[in-house]
Amino acid sequence: MAKNIEKKKFYKVIGVMSGTSMDGIDISLIKTNGTNYVRVINEKSYDYSLTLQNKIKKIIANKPINKNKIIKYFKRNEDLINEVYISFIRKFLNKFRINKDSIDFISLSGQTVYHNPLKQISIQLGSGKVIADNFKIKTISDLRQNDIKNKGQGAPIGSYYHRYILNKFDRKSIVVNLGGIANFTSVNKQKVFSSDIGPANCIIDDLTNYFFNKKFDKNGILSSRGKINNKILNSFKNDIFFKQKIPKSLDRNYFDKYKNRLKKINKYDALCTATYMSLVGFQKFLNINKFHFNNIILTGGGRKNTYLLKILKNNINKKITLIDKLKINGDLVEAQMFAYIGIRSIKKLTISSKYTTGASKNISGGKIYFPD
């Protein structure tokens, strides 16, 4: 039986996000109407240990090839992610002394473990039902599945929060998120355009883990010691992904064939080349797609990589502004984003379209789980 949801002008919602970098969980409590109002109340990032990060990567690496087996395989491995979410959400509630009864919803992104737009499949681990039952708070999750059912790619899914940011600060800018994968959002003549554009942190992070047993290359210091391997970089530039029209999306492991080649060369050169791969995605996007904008608002973990940032500024003829300059915490934008699109879903407002994911029509989404 369907349960009624109290219709409110504003909702207090906790957004929970773990991105393709798989470096931790971001949690943000906001008050929003899902359209033109967002007030951040509390927020915090929680880092995965290197051991936990490697456990998740190992689960992904050991996936079967068959599509039906993949779904069952990942569901069997969901308990680990559920435990992680429960632990960090509980820490968040306790740290800020949040009364659970004051929260309308938890909006859960889920940990993306497999994304294949060609097969129209995107798997995020983390059960909305388990979270709802554990905290006795209504939880919305599965935010990508309705898009996929309507011929969308299920990613990027946060474009309409980026639209909110652009409407508030500068419609003549674009937002570029440097997570594991890089994606952009632009608003043009009331239409929202969005797409993945290439790797951001995923190859750099994986190589840093492989060579140095570290989660990431802080400030790009290790990468800056190397030289570009032009043979591998030129091969990367010719990848078919860059020839595809937007919108398009990527699994974080799509570029593994280049990463595996980089593992066989000097470790500093490998990291340097991987960093320039992040530049290539930018350049290909700017050269092929004629969006008119004055400024790039940069968000995501990659904005903290000072070596990557220097490379972008030296090679892209556009002004680059870190989102933090707008008094928005660039580490927690995506947690805010999932809280925001969760409420848009509750209100049956658009969260994706043919211009953001390739869906056949404007799509809302998400499934609400009520606690027992």
Side-chain angles (χ1 to χ4, degrees):
M1 180 185 291
K3 298 183 182 180
N4 292 326
I5 297 173
E6 182 186 359
K7 300 295 182 184
K8 302 172 71 170
K9 185 174 181 181
F10 298 102
Y11 294 85
K12 288 177 72 174
V13 53
I14 294 174
V16 184
M17 170 65 185
S18 42
T20 51
S21 290
M22 295 193 296
D23 53 359
I25 288 178
D26 303 323
I27 305 178
S28 183
L29 169 60
I30 68 171
K31 182 177 180 180
T32 184
N33 58 1
T35 53
N36 62 352
Y37 178 85
V38 173
R39 181 171 70 86
V40 176
I41 301 170
N42 302 115
E43 54 187 1
K44 185 170 174 57
S45 293
Y46 296 91
D47 291 338
Y48 287 163
S49 67
L50 185 59
T51 301
L52 175 59
Q53 188 181 55
N54 286 335
K55 273 186 184 178
I56 298 170
K57 287 182 178 179
K58 187 175 181 180
I59 289 170
I60 294 171
N62 291 336
K63 68 182 181 297
I65 296 172
N66 179 277
K67 175 181 174 180
N68 292 326
K69 288 183 178 178
I70 281 176
I71 296 171
K72 292 176 182 176
Y73 166 80
F74 280 122
K75 283 297 176 185
R76 287 199 305 271
N77 285 281
E78 189 169 50
D79 287 350
L80 171 65
I81 303 299
N82 287 336
E83 289 170 8
V84 171
Y85 278 151
I86 289 167
S87 172
F88 285 128
I89 294 171
R90 185 174 291 123
K91 283 183 180 180
F92 180 79
L93 293 171
N94 290 339
K95 176 177 176 58
F96 296 105
R97 299 179 181 178
I98 295 167
N99 179 358
K100 291 191 293 184
D101 293 338
S102 71
I103 305 302
D104 297 300
F105 291 96
I106 294 172
S107 184
L108 188 71
S109 72
Q111 175 66 66
T112 298
V113 289
Y114 182 73
H115 182 77
N116 189 329
L118 294 178
K119 293 183 180 179
Q120 288 193 298
I121 180 171
S122 188
I123 300 173
Q124 288 73 41
L125 297 186
S127 167
K129 180 59 177 167
V130 169
I131 298 301
D133 286 347
N134 199 278
F135 293 100
K136 307 304 178 189
I137 300 172
K138 296 186 290 293
T139 300
I140 183 163
S141 62
D142 304 326
L143 285 152
R144 304 172 194 266
Q145 297 310 312
N146 199 31
D147 180 78
I148 290 170
K149 287 176 186 175
N150 286 276
K151 300 182 180 178
Q153 298 188 53
I157 203 68
S159 312
Y160 280 77
Y161 187 58
H162 290 163
R163 181 188 70 167
Y164 160 78
I165 291 170
L166 291 170
N167 283 343
K168 183 175 180 180
F169 292 101
D170 186 1
R171 289 285 293 272
K172 293 179 181 178
S173 294
I174 66 169
V175 173
V176 174
N177 173 44
L178 296 180
I181 298 296
N183 59 61
F184 89 97
T185 302
S186 172
V187 178
N188 187 13
K189 295 180 180 178
Q190 304 303 316
K191 291 187 177 72
V192 184
F193 295 87
S194 193
S195 179
D196 286 351
I197 61 176
N201 307 318
C202 58
I203 303 176
I204 303 169
D205 289 352
D206 287 353
L207 290 173
T208 304
N209 189 345
Y210 177 78
F211 287 122
F212 298 96
N213 198 34
K214 294 182 178 181
K215 287 175 64 178
F216 61 93
D217 180 12
K218 187 173 182 179
N219 295 324
I221 290 171
L222 300 171
S223 303
S224 68
R225 295 177 185 171
K227 297 177 182 178
I228 300 169
N229 183 301
N230 284 306
K231 185 175 180 180
I232 298 175
L233 188 64
N234 288 334
S235 176
F236 174 81
K237 287 178 180 178
N238 290 316
D239 192 276
I240 193 171
F241 172 79
F242 299 117
K243 298 177 176 67
Q244 296 168 358
K245 293 181 179 179
I246 61 170
K248 53 189 175 182
S249 60
L250 284 164
D251 183 85
R252 80 177 305 282
N253 297 313
Y254 173 84
F255 294 111
D256 272 3
K257 59 185 175 183
Y258 306 104
K259 180 177 71 180
N260 292 334
R261 289 174 65 184
L262 290 171
K263 286 180 178 179
K264 297 175 183 176
I265 69 172
N266 174 276
K267 56 190 177 183
Y268 297 108
D269 293 352
L271 284 169
C272 179
T273 306
T275 306
Y276 273 85
M277 286 176 174
S278 301
L279 168 67
V280 168
F282 254 97
Q283 291 176 319
K284 295 280 188 180
F285 159 66
L286 293 173
N287 291 340
I288 295 172
N289 303 285
K290 304 303 179 185
F291 287 95
H292 300 290
F293 57 92
N294 302 326
N295 179 42
I296 298 170
I297 299 172
L298 211 57
T299 185
R303 81 194 192 288
K304 292 181 169 180
N305 183 329
T306 50
Y307 182 57
L308 173 59
L309 193 59
K310 180 181 176 182
I311 290 170
L312 294 177
K313 287 182 174 179
N314 287 344
N315 290 276
I316 293 173
N317 190 26
K318 295 285 183 181
K319 181 184 176 185
I320 295 177
T321 301
L322 299 186
I323 198 165
D324 311 79
K325 297 286 186 183
L326 307 179
K327 297 184 179 179
I328 297 174
N329 188 327
D331 292 333
L332 288 147
V333 171
E334 292 196 57
Q336 298 166 19
M337 178 180 80
F338 272 90
Y340 180 86
I341 66 170
I343 297 308
R344 287 187 68 83
S345 299
I346 296 297
K347 299 175 80 169
K348 307 299 182 189
L349 298 173
T350 300
I351 64 170
S352 63
S353 73
K354 67 178 181 179
Y355 302 110
T356 65
T357 63
S360 58
K361 59 184 179 180
N362 287 359
I363 298 297
S364 191
K367 183 174 180 182
I368 302 170
Y369 294 90
F370 294 86
D372 287 336

